[in-house]
Amino acid sequence: MVSLEYVSKTYRLPKGQLEAVRDVTLHIPKGTIHGIIGASGAGKSTLLRMVNLLERPDRGKVFVGEQELTALSARQLREARRSIGMIFQQYNLVLNRTVSRNISMAMELAGVPKRERLARIEECLKFVGLEDKAEQYPSRLSGGQKQRVAIARALANGPKVLLCDEPTSALDPQTTADILEVLRHVNQTYGVTILIVTHDMNVVKKICRRVTIMEQGQIVRTVAADELEGMGDA
């Protein structure tokens, strides 16, 4: 479903260059939940952001399904990104928009008719258990509720792939468990392929089928999640 083939990314900094990702090849099967773990600076978030080309690789190819994203025009890439949702550590909600209007944003950009948008907002809010928060503003929500809104927003366009960049690192253990259960439900209900970046080994043990371990911009190994027993945080 998701394939990265020999991708690399180098940042040019005032004091030189930083090779964040180096010649990485990774294949994620359709319908799975796959973790990417590693210490800060290992390159895991850069790798994740290359899946939807928020970070364009300097070399290598990115495929989602049968489509090579790295070969698309800007217009074609905008279309392709509608099938790829993303959830961030800090939620990235628009503070002056209500919950329902936050969820509506991607559909508005896609030109979805208003009646269809309203029905989809209701469906997504019900899915994440926030039907009563539609007209609230993000400032009135807890961290866990904000992340549920972010998940609902990511689901609005019916994505095939969901990218999660440290989605639970700002949350307490119980709220983390709740969010992971929502993500598991997304996977089981809609068959969405989920990639989740985290530094927390316990997160991938709870939700992931397979896990890729990164160090210094490269993959050290990819293993089944149950092979991580006995290991601590990355």
Side-chain angles (χ1 to χ4, degrees):
M1 179 64 185
V2 174
S3 293
L4 305 169
E5 297 185 356
Y6 302 103
V7 295
S8 296
K9 181 68 178 182
T10 298
Y11 297 103
R12 287 159 182 80
L13 305 175
K15 295 184 178 180
Q17 295 185 336
L18 172 64
E19 195 171 29
V21 174
R22 182 166 73 252
D23 292 325
V24 166
T25 293
L26 180 63
H27 303 291
I28 312 296
K30 181 179 180 181
T32 194
I33 303 178
H34 191 103
I36 303 174
I37 61 174
S40 178
K44 55 191 186 295
S45 289
T46 298
L47 187 68
L48 184 81
R49 290 164 69 89
M50 283 199 280
V51 173
N52 61 359
L53 267 59
L54 284 181
E55 297 286 356
R56 182 175 284 273
D58 300 322
R59 58 184 181 272
K61 298 179 180 180
V62 178
F63 294 85
V64 174
E66 300 299 319
Q67 196 169 38
E68 183 190 344
L69 301 192
T70 38
L72 300 181
S73 67
R75 181 187 61 80
Q76 290 170 327
L77 181 58
R78 285 195 297 271
E79 290 288 331
R81 280 175 172 158
R82 292 177 185 171
S83 67
I84 307 172
M86 192 159 188
I87 302 168
F88 302 89
Q89 176 182 351
Q90 297 300 332
Y91 323 124
N92 284 18
L93 301 178
V94 179
L95 298 181
N96 64 354
R97 277 182 167 242
T98 62
V99 165
S100 62
R101 292 187 65 213
N102 266 276
I103 297 169
S104 179
M105 286 178 66
M107 293 186 287
E108 292 171 20
L109 293 172
V112 177
K114 183 176 181 179
R115 181 175 295 181
E116 188 176 335
R117 291 201 310 267
L118 293 175
R120 185 63 178 161
I121 290 167
E122 184 177 355
E123 178 184 351
C124 290
L125 282 175
K126 184 175 182 180
F127 186 86
V128 300
L130 293 178
E131 306 99 304
D132 60 335
K133 305 296 184 184
E135 299 310 313
Q136 295 263 4
Y137 286 88
S139 62
R140 302 293 301 274
L141 304 178
S142 68
Q145 289 170 335
K146 290 175 184 176
Q147 197 60 290
R148 286 173 183 262
V149 174
I151 293 171
R153 180 184 58 188
L155 293 176
N157 277 336
K160 298 176 182 177
V161 176
L162 188 58
L163 308 178
C164 306
D165 192 0
E166 299 275 10
T168 62
S169 63
L171 305 176
D172 63 74
Q174 182 56 55
T175 307
T176 291
D178 293 342
I179 293 300
L180 293 180
E181 191 56 39
V182 172
L183 291 175
R184 193 195 315 276
H185 192 32
V186 169
N187 172 255
Q188 293 174 345
T189 303
Y190 297 119
V192 175
T193 303
I194 298 177
L195 279 72
I196 181 167
V197 158
T198 181
H199 65 277
D200 187 344
M201 197 76 74
N202 291 320
V203 167
V204 294
K205 288 176 183 177
K206 287 178 181 176
I207 194 174
C208 296
R209 187 175 304 170
R210 292 185 66 78
V211 183
T212 292
I213 303 169
M214 292 189 70
E215 289 181 7
Q216 298 180 338
Q218 292 186 301
I219 290 176
V220 176
R221 56 181 171 144
T222 296
V223 298
D226 56 15
E227 294 181 40
L228 296 175
E229 288 302 324
M231 296 177 66
D233 283 359

